[in-house]
Amino acid sequence: SLQSQTIKNMKPINPSIFLAVKLASFFSLPCQAAEKEVKEISSIIKESTDKINKLDVEGGLKHIHPTNYSEYSHIPQKPLLRIDRKSLIDICKAIFPSLKMKSGPALDLKVVIKGDMAYATYQSKKQIGDGPPMMVRHTDIFVRENKNWSLTHSHRSILNGE
């Protein structure tokens, strides 16, 4: 048969080539896993922005850590705030409709995964009501618990000259 003829004509593979291929596939696994996690974090950021823009505060903040969240915000500048997710949602539901804030997409998004921790840096254009648009720099820190990513810390600051 053609199959048995093909097998007879095959040369044995060089063991060093075999080893190199096996090692390459082994080392690509962590990269593929990290790529999947980067996509997860990127998706969380996009989904949160989209939902907040539609005033779906609860949906937009669902990835906030339930009990251990803190943030620095320079919109306007505030001291470090530690708050649980439910209280943050209640506050945001009360003030977001009157702010009429719109956020643009994450620009220059970079996500770094370190085990069960990750951080994301990016910029986005924000506009409050009819005010001038401003460019805001974000640093978000995520923790993975029970296979789910939660935002545990956020820092936002307005870029000068924007």
Side-chain angles (χ1 to χ4, degrees), residues 39-78:
K39 286 180 181 176
E40 285 179 51
I41 299 291
S42 300
S43 177
I44 289 169
I45 292 167
K46 181 186 182 325
E47 179 185 317
S48 294
T49 300
D50 292 346
K51 289 187 179 214
I52 293 292
N53 281 339
K54 294 175 185 167
L55 293 179
D56 176 3
V57 175
E58 207 156 325
L61 300 180
K62 76 178 184 181
H63 292 289
I64 298 288
H65 193 281
T67 59
N68 189 17
Y69 174 74
S70 64
E71 74 176 45
Y72 280 112
S73 180
H74 291 196
I75 315 173
Q77 185 169 350
K78 299 279 186 196

Side-chain angles (χ1 to χ4, degrees), residues 75-117:
I75 315 173
Q77 185 169 350
K78 299 279 186 196
L80 180 66
L81 169 71
R82 293 188 198 290
I83 193 166
D84 63 276
R85 179 175 51 212
K86 184 186 177 322
S87 298
L88 182 64
I89 287 171
D90 290 345
I91 291 168
C92 291
K93 279 183 174 180
I95 63 171
F96 276 13
S98 64
L99 287 176
K100 298 178 183 169
M101 183 167 70
K102 291 292 180 189
S103 294
L107 305 172
D108 195 25
L109 175 63
K110 292 178 182 62
V111 177
V112 176
I113 308 292
K114 297 287 187 182
D116 287 333
M117 298 287 294

Side-chain angles (χ1 to χ4, degrees), residues 38 41-42 45-46 105-113 117-124 135-142 151 153-157 159:
V38 166
I41 299 291
S42 300
I45 292 167
K46 181 186 182 325
L107 305 172
D108 195 25
L109 175 63
K110 292 178 182 62
V111 177
V112 176
I113 308 292
M117 298 287 294
Y119 68 89
T121 58
Y122 58 100
Q123 297 175 21
S124 68
M135 190 59 78
V136 178
R137 178 178 47 220
H138 302 255
T139 302
D140 292 339
I141 299 173
F142 294 84
L151 181 61
H153 179 79
S154 186
H155 182 118
R156 293 179 297 280
S157 54
L159 295 173

Side-chain angles (χ1 to χ4, degrees), residues 3-23:
Q3 185 178 10
S4 61
Q5 185 64 31
T6 303
I7 291 172
K8 286 180 187 176
N9 292 336
M10 289 179 63
K11 294 179 183 176
I13 192 165
N14 182 327
S16 60
I17 292 173
F18 178 76
L19 181 61
V21 169
K22 286 307 267 180
L23 283 175

